[in-house]
Protein backbone atom coordinates (compact mmCIF):
# COMPACT_ATOMS: atom_id res chain seq x y z
CA UNK A 1 0.00 0.00 0.00
CA UNK A 2 1.09 3.59 -0.66
CA UNK A 3 2.23 5.37 2.42
CA UNK A 4 3.62 8.57 0.86
CA UNK A 5 1.86 11.91 0.86
CA UNK A 6 -1.02 12.33 -1.56
CA UNK A 7 0.07 14.55 -4.47
CA UNK A 8 -1.85 17.80 -4.46
CA UNK A 9 -4.67 17.99 -6.97
CA UNK A 10 -7.31 20.72 -7.34
CA UNK A 11 -10.51 19.17 -8.61
CA UNK A 12 -12.20 20.89 -11.55
CA UNK A 13 -15.57 19.16 -11.39
CA UNK A 14 -16.79 15.74 -10.29
CA UNK A 15 -13.76 13.83 -11.53
CA UNK A 16 -12.59 12.61 -8.12
CA UNK A 17 -15.93 11.03 -7.21
CA UNK A 18 -16.35 9.59 -10.68
CA UNK A 19 -12.92 8.01 -10.57
CA UNK A 20 -13.61 6.50 -7.14
CA UNK A 21 -16.83 4.94 -8.39
CA UNK A 22 -15.15 3.64 -11.52
CA UNK A 23 -12.45 2.05 -9.34
CA UNK A 24 -14.99 0.36 -7.07
CA UNK A 25 -17.08 -0.82 -10.01
CA UNK A 26 -13.99 -2.05 -11.88
CA UNK A 27 -14.55 0.22 -14.85
CA UNK A 28 -11.62 1.49 -16.92
CA UNK A 29 -11.27 5.24 -17.31
CA UNK A 30 -10.32 7.37 -20.31
CA UNK A 31 -9.03 10.90 -19.72
CA UNK A 32 -9.09 13.24 -22.67
CA UNK A 33 -7.72 16.73 -22.84
CA UNK A 34 -4.81 18.90 -23.90
CA UNK A 35 -1.29 18.42 -22.63
CA UNK A 36 -0.35 19.94 -19.27
CA UNK A 37 -3.87 20.35 -17.90
CA UNK A 38 -3.52 18.02 -14.91
CA UNK A 39 -4.35 14.51 -16.17
CA UNK A 40 -1.21 12.86 -14.86
CA UNK A 41 -1.38 14.69 -11.56
CA UNK A 42 -5.00 13.59 -11.22
CA UNK A 43 -4.10 9.93 -11.70
CA UNK A 44 -1.18 10.22 -9.23
CA UNK A 45 -3.51 11.82 -6.72
CA UNK A 46 -6.19 9.16 -7.16
CA UNK A 47 -3.75 6.24 -6.96
CA UNK A 48 -2.36 7.58 -3.68
CA UNK A 49 -5.84 8.30 -2.35
CA UNK A 50 -7.03 4.80 -3.19
CA UNK A 51 -3.83 3.30 -1.83
CA UNK A 52 -2.86 1.54 -5.06
CA UNK A 53 0.59 1.43 -6.68
CA UNK A 54 0.73 3.27 -10.00
CA UNK A 55 2.45 2.18 -13.20
CA UNK A 56 2.64 4.97 -15.74
CA UNK A 57 3.63 4.31 -19.34
CA UNK A 58 4.26 7.21 -21.73
CA UNK A 59 3.15 5.72 -25.03
CA UNK A 60 5.02 6.48 -28.25
CA UNK A 61 4.74 5.25 -31.82
CA UNK A 62 7.20 2.41 -31.30
CA UNK A 63 5.53 1.05 -28.16
CA UNK A 64 4.31 -2.48 -28.82
CA UNK A 65 2.17 -5.00 -26.99
CA UNK A 66 5.36 -6.77 -25.84
CA UNK A 67 6.56 -3.53 -24.20
CA UNK A 68 3.39 -3.56 -22.11
CA UNK A 69 3.02 -7.28 -21.47
CA UNK A 70 6.63 -8.42 -21.23
CA UNK A 71 9.17 -10.46 -23.11
CA UNK A 72 11.78 -13.16 -22.79
CA UNK A 73 15.22 -11.81 -21.99
CA UNK A 74 18.59 -13.49 -22.03
CA UNK A 75 20.86 -13.38 -19.01
CA UNK A 76 23.55 -15.76 -17.73
CA UNK A 77 23.07 -17.86 -20.86
CA UNK A 78 19.44 -18.51 -20.03
CA UNK A 79 16.20 -16.98 -21.18
CA UNK A 80 13.80 -15.80 -18.58
CA UNK A 81 10.44 -14.07 -18.69
CA UNK A 82 10.26 -10.42 -17.69
CA UNK A 83 6.84 -8.88 -16.93
CA UNK A 84 6.05 -5.58 -18.62
CA UNK A 85 4.41 -2.76 -16.64
CA UNK A 86 0.86 -3.77 -17.59
CA UNK A 87 1.38 -7.37 -16.48
CA UNK A 88 2.97 -6.21 -13.24
CA UNK A 89 0.03 -3.92 -12.59
CA UNK A 90 -2.45 -6.75 -13.20
CA UNK A 91 -0.56 -9.12 -10.91
CA UNK A 92 -0.29 -6.56 -8.12
CA UNK A 93 -3.76 -5.07 -8.43
CA UNK A 94 -2.26 -1.70 -9.28
CA UNK A 95 -3.44 1.19 -11.43
CA UNK A 96 -1.90 1.18 -14.89
CA UNK A 97 -1.90 4.57 -16.64
CA UNK A 98 -1.19 4.60 -20.36
CA UNK A 99 -0.50 8.20 -21.27
CA UNK A 100 -1.22 9.16 -24.91
CA UNK A 101 -2.44 5.67 -25.65
CA UNK A 102 -3.31 6.40 -29.31
CA UNK A 103 0.39 6.87 -30.02
CA UNK A 104 1.09 3.20 -29.31
CA UNK A 105 1.26 0.56 -32.01
CA UNK A 106 -1.99 -1.02 -33.11
CA UNK A 107 -1.12 -4.43 -31.64
CA UNK A 108 -1.65 -2.95 -28.17
CA UNK A 109 -5.40 -2.75 -28.86
CA UNK A 110 -5.63 -6.54 -28.91
CA UNK A 111 -4.23 -6.60 -25.38
CA UNK A 112 -6.35 -3.76 -24.05
CA UNK A 113 -9.74 -5.00 -25.24
CA UNK A 114 -10.13 -8.14 -23.10
CA UNK A 115 -8.71 -6.24 -20.15
CA UNK A 116 -11.05 -3.30 -20.47
CA UNK A 117 -14.36 -5.11 -20.87
CA UNK A 118 -16.02 -7.36 -18.31
CA UNK A 119 -13.65 -10.26 -19.00
CA UNK A 120 -10.80 -8.36 -17.33
CA UNK A 121 -8.23 -10.84 -18.57
CA UNK A 122 -4.69 -10.49 -19.83
CA UNK A 123 -3.67 -13.41 -22.02
CA UNK A 124 0.11 -13.66 -22.23
CA UNK A 125 0.61 -15.39 -25.53
CA UNK A 126 4.33 -16.04 -25.17
CA UNK A 127 4.00 -17.93 -21.88
CA UNK A 128 0.53 -19.39 -22.38
CA UNK A 129 -0.59 -17.77 -19.14
CA UNK A 130 -3.92 -15.96 -18.74
CA UNK A 131 -4.13 -13.50 -15.88
CA UNK A 132 -7.45 -12.54 -14.33
CA UNK A 133 -7.27 -8.98 -13.06
CA UNK A 134 -8.04 -8.67 -9.35
CA UNK A 135 -10.74 -6.14 -8.32
CA UNK A 136 -8.08 -3.58 -7.36
CA UNK A 137 -6.57 -3.49 -10.84
CA UNK A 138 -7.58 -0.46 -12.86
CA UNK A 139 -6.74 0.59 -16.39
CA UNK A 140 -6.55 4.32 -17.08
CA UNK A 141 -5.66 5.75 -20.48
CA UNK A 142 -5.36 9.28 -21.77
CA UNK A 143 -5.22 10.97 -25.11
CA UNK A 144 -5.30 14.42 -26.57
CA UNK A 145 -8.18 14.76 -29.04
CA UNK A 146 -6.74 18.14 -30.09
CA UNK A 147 -4.00 16.54 -32.15
CA UNK A 148 -6.69 15.36 -34.58
CA UNK A 149 -4.57 12.73 -36.12
CA UNK A 150 -7.19 10.80 -38.04
CA UNK A 151 -4.94 7.81 -38.53
CA UNK A 152 -4.25 7.68 -34.84
CA UNK A 153 -7.70 8.54 -33.53
CA UNK A 154 -9.17 6.16 -31.00
CA UNK A 155 -11.47 3.57 -32.52
CA UNK A 156 -15.06 3.64 -31.19
CA UNK A 157 -14.76 -0.03 -30.26
CA UNK A 158 -11.91 0.90 -27.93
CA UNK A 159 -13.34 4.18 -26.71
CA UNK A 160 -16.66 2.61 -25.78
CA UNK A 161 -14.99 0.36 -23.24
CA UNK A 162 -14.13 3.30 -21.00
CA UNK A 163 -15.81 5.78 -18.71
CA UNK A 164 -14.55 9.02 -20.22
CA UNK A 165 -13.65 12.23 -18.44
CA UNK A 166 -12.94 15.41 -20.35
CA UNK A 167 -10.21 17.67 -19.00
CA UNK A 168 -9.46 21.22 -19.98
CA UNK A 169 -7.50 24.16 -18.61
CA UNK A 170 -9.11 25.04 -15.27
CA UNK A 171 -11.33 28.08 -14.78
CA UNK A 172 -9.22 31.23 -14.16
CA UNK A 173 -9.66 31.40 -10.37
CA UNK A 174 -8.89 27.73 -9.99
CA UNK A 175 -5.93 27.85 -12.36
CA UNK A 176 -4.51 30.84 -10.45
CA UNK A 177 -4.84 28.89 -7.20
CA UNK A 178 -2.98 25.95 -8.77
CA UNK A 179 -0.17 28.17 -10.10
CA UNK A 180 0.17 29.97 -6.76
CA UNK A 181 0.31 26.72 -4.84
CA UNK A 182 2.58 24.78 -7.23
CA UNK A 183 5.13 27.57 -7.74
CA UNK A 184 4.80 29.28 -4.36
CA UNK A 185 4.02 32.70 -5.86
CA UNK A 186 1.46 35.18 -4.55
CA UNK A 187 -2.14 35.16 -5.75
CA UNK A 188 -1.82 38.42 -7.65
CA UNK A 189 1.08 37.22 -9.79
CA UNK A 190 -0.62 33.89 -10.39
CA UNK A 191 -3.82 35.64 -11.50
CA UNK A 192 -1.86 37.88 -13.88
CA UNK A 193 -0.13 34.86 -15.43
CA UNK A 194 -3.46 33.14 -15.95
CA UNK A 195 -4.79 36.27 -17.68
CA UNK A 196 -1.77 36.23 -19.95
CA UNK A 197 -2.27 32.53 -20.68
CA UNK A 198 -5.87 33.12 -21.64
CA UNK A 199 -4.83 35.93 -23.98
CA UNK A 200 -2.33 33.55 -25.60
CA UNK A 201 -4.89 30.75 -25.75
CA UNK A 202 -7.17 32.91 -27.87
CA UNK A 203 -4.39 33.09 -30.47
CA UNK A 204 -4.19 29.33 -30.57
CA UNK A 205 -6.22 28.87 -33.74
CA UNK A 206 -3.90 31.12 -35.73
CA UNK A 207 -0.37 29.84 -35.42
CA UNK A 208 0.03 27.30 -32.70
CA UNK A 209 -0.45 23.60 -32.53
CA UNK A 210 -1.05 23.68 -28.78
CA UNK A 211 -1.79 26.51 -26.40
CA UNK A 212 -0.15 27.58 -23.16
CA UNK A 213 -0.75 24.84 -20.60
CA UNK A 214 -1.13 25.01 -16.84
CA UNK A 215 2.22 23.21 -16.68
CA UNK A 216 3.94 26.05 -18.55
CA UNK A 217 2.34 28.61 -16.26
CA UNK A 218 3.71 26.73 -13.26
CA UNK A 219 7.18 26.70 -14.87
CA UNK A 220 7.00 30.43 -15.63
CA UNK A 221 5.87 31.27 -12.11
CA UNK A 222 8.66 29.08 -10.71
CA UNK A 223 11.30 31.01 -12.65
CA UNK A 224 9.81 34.31 -11.48
CA UNK A 225 9.83 33.02 -7.94
CA UNK A 226 13.55 32.33 -8.42
CA UNK A 227 14.08 35.97 -9.32
CA UNK A 228 13.93 35.96 -13.11
CA UNK A 229 12.56 39.09 -14.75
CA UNK A 230 8.95 38.43 -15.82
CA UNK A 231 9.68 38.85 -19.53
CA UNK A 232 12.69 36.55 -19.46
CA UNK A 233 10.71 33.95 -17.53
CA UNK A 234 7.78 34.20 -19.96
CA UNK A 235 10.07 33.89 -22.96
CA UNK A 236 11.84 30.82 -21.64
CA UNK A 237 8.97 28.96 -20.04
CA UNK A 238 5.84 30.14 -21.79
CA UNK A 239 6.65 31.33 -25.31
CA UNK A 240 9.63 29.36 -26.63
CA UNK A 241 8.06 26.00 -25.67
CA UNK A 242 5.01 26.87 -27.79
CA UNK A 243 6.65 27.51 -31.15
CA UNK A 244 9.90 27.22 -33.10
CA UNK A 245 9.03 30.07 -35.46
CA UNK A 246 10.99 33.23 -34.48
CA UNK A 247 8.29 35.55 -35.84
CA UNK A 248 5.60 33.83 -33.82
CA UNK A 249 7.84 34.08 -30.74
CA UNK A 250 8.07 37.83 -31.19
CA UNK A 251 4.32 38.14 -31.78
CA UNK A 252 3.65 36.23 -28.56
CA UNK A 253 6.20 38.34 -26.68
CA UNK A 254 4.24 41.42 -27.72
CA UNK A 255 1.24 39.94 -25.94
CA UNK A 256 3.45 39.21 -22.91
CA UNK A 257 4.57 42.84 -22.83
CA UNK A 258 1.02 44.03 -22.40
CA UNK A 259 0.84 42.02 -19.15
CA UNK A 260 4.36 42.29 -17.70
P1 LIG B 1 -1.05 16.29 -18.30
O1 LIG B 1 -0.88 14.92 -17.75
O2 LIG B 1 -2.48 16.65 -18.57
O3 LIG B 1 -0.15 16.59 -19.47
P2 LIG B 1 0.05 17.13 -15.74
O4 LIG B 1 -0.85 16.38 -14.84
O5 LIG B 1 1.44 16.64 -15.89
O6 LIG B 1 -0.61 17.35 -17.17
O7 LIG B 1 0.04 18.66 -15.22
C1 LIG B 1 1.13 19.51 -15.38
C2 LIG B 1 1.37 20.31 -14.14
O8 LIG B 1 0.34 21.27 -13.97
C3 LIG B 1 1.38 19.49 -12.86
O9 LIG B 1 2.65 19.01 -12.58
C4 LIG B 1 0.90 20.48 -11.82
O10 LIG B 1 1.97 21.29 -11.39
C5 LIG B 1 -0.02 21.40 -12.59
N1 LIG B 1 -1.46 21.10 -12.51
C6 LIG B 1 -2.32 21.09 -13.56
N2 LIG B 1 -3.58 20.89 -13.15
C7 LIG B 1 -3.53 20.75 -11.80
C8 LIG B 1 -4.53 20.53 -10.79
N3 LIG B 1 -5.83 20.42 -11.11
N4 LIG B 1 -4.13 20.47 -9.51
C9 LIG B 1 -2.81 20.61 -9.19
N5 LIG B 1 -1.84 20.81 -10.10
C10 LIG B 1 -2.18 20.89 -11.39
Amino acid sequence: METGAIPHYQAQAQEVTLFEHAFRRQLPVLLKGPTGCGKTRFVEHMAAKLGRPLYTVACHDDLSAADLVGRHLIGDGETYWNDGPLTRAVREGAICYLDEVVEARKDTTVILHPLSDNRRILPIERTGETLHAPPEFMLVVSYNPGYQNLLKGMKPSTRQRFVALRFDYPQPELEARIVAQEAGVDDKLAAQLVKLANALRVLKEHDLEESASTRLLVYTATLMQDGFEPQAACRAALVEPLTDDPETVEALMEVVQTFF
Side-chain angles (χ1 to χ4, degrees):
M1 295 286 265
E2 279 300 313
T3 50
I6 296 179
H8 170 251
Y9 175 75
Q10 284 273 348
Q12 297 194 28
Q14 276 198 306
E15 68 272 29
V16 171
T17 320
L18 261 165
F19 194 101
E20 282 171 341
H21 281 270
F23 176 75
R24 298 229 161 80
R25 293 296 197 163
Q26 301 179 30
L27 301 172
V29 165
L30 161 67
L31 310 176
K32 39 182 164 174
T35 182
C37 71
K39 300 183 296 298
T40 303
R41 178 62 67 87
F42 172 61
V43 179
E44 289 166 353
H45 172 82
M46 293 309 302
K49 197 165 182 224
L50 295 166
R52 303 314 310 155
L54 174 64
Y55 288 92
T56 298
V57 182
C59 300
H60 51 80
D61 55 9
D62 222 15
L63 186 107
S64 65
D67 292 320
L68 293 178
V69 176
R71 50 167 55 90
H72 285 105
L73 298 177
I74 303 170
D76 289 335
E78 283 180 27
T79 59
Y80 63 95
W81 175 256
N82 186 42
D83 279 345
L86 182 63
T87 305
R88 242 174 284 148
V90 171
R91 287 197 208 278
E92 290 175 25
I95 294 176
C96 186
Y97 175 42
L98 306 179
D99 192 9
E100 287 297 338
V101 68
V102 290
E103 295 294 324
R105 282 210 222 153
K106 288 289 159 267
D107 67 345
T108 54
T109 315
V110 180
I111 303 294
L112 297 183
H113 279 197
L115 200 52
S116 54
D117 57 31
N118 54 11
R119 288 172 286 171
R120 287 175 62 86
I121 54 167
L122 177 64
I124 309 179
E125 217 177 278
R126 306 259 174 90
T127 63
E129 201 179 358
T130 295
L131 300 182
H132 291 262
E136 301 78 25
F137 168 78
M138 185 178 193
L139 180 65
V140 182
V141 303
S142 75
Y143 86 114
N144 182 347
Y147 289 148
Q148 302 210 327
N149 185 338
L150 279 182
L151 285 174
K152 281 191 169 169
M154 199 178 229
K155 284 204 311 194
S157 58
T158 307
R159 200 177 359 200
Q160 290 204 16
R161 292 174 142 76
F162 293 84
V163 171
L165 295 174
R166 182 182 288 273
F167 279 65
D168 210 336
Y169 307 121
Q171 290 303 304
E173 304 78 48
L174 187 61
E175 190 166 37
R177 220 178 303 150
I178 293 168
V179 172
Q181 177 137 14
E182 292 286 310
V185 296
D186 65 50
D187 295 347
K188 207 167 142 233
L189 175 58
Q192 187 70 356
L193 273 169
V194 170
K195 271 195 202 143
L196 165 59
N198 284 319
L200 294 173
R201 284 167 189 165
V202 178
L203 305 174
K204 186 190 162 202
E205 318 301 325
H206 304 302
D207 313 273
L208 305 170
E209 236 175 289
E210 277 277 284
S211 50
S213 65
T214 310
R215 179 191 293 120
L216 292 184
L217 290 186
V218 172
Y219 288 175
T220 310
T222 304
L223 290 181
M224 288 188 189
Q225 176 69 3
D226 280 357
F228 276 85
E229 291 296 328
Q231 287 194 21
C234 288
R235 184 183 285 275
L238 195 54
V239 170
E240 288 286 357
L242 287 181
T243 176
D244 293 327
D245 175 43
E247 275 175 32
T248 309
V249 167
E250 291 321 315
L252 297 182
M253 281 309 294
E254 278 174 29
V255 180
V256 169
Q257 279 149 24
T258 64
F259 287 84
F260 288 100

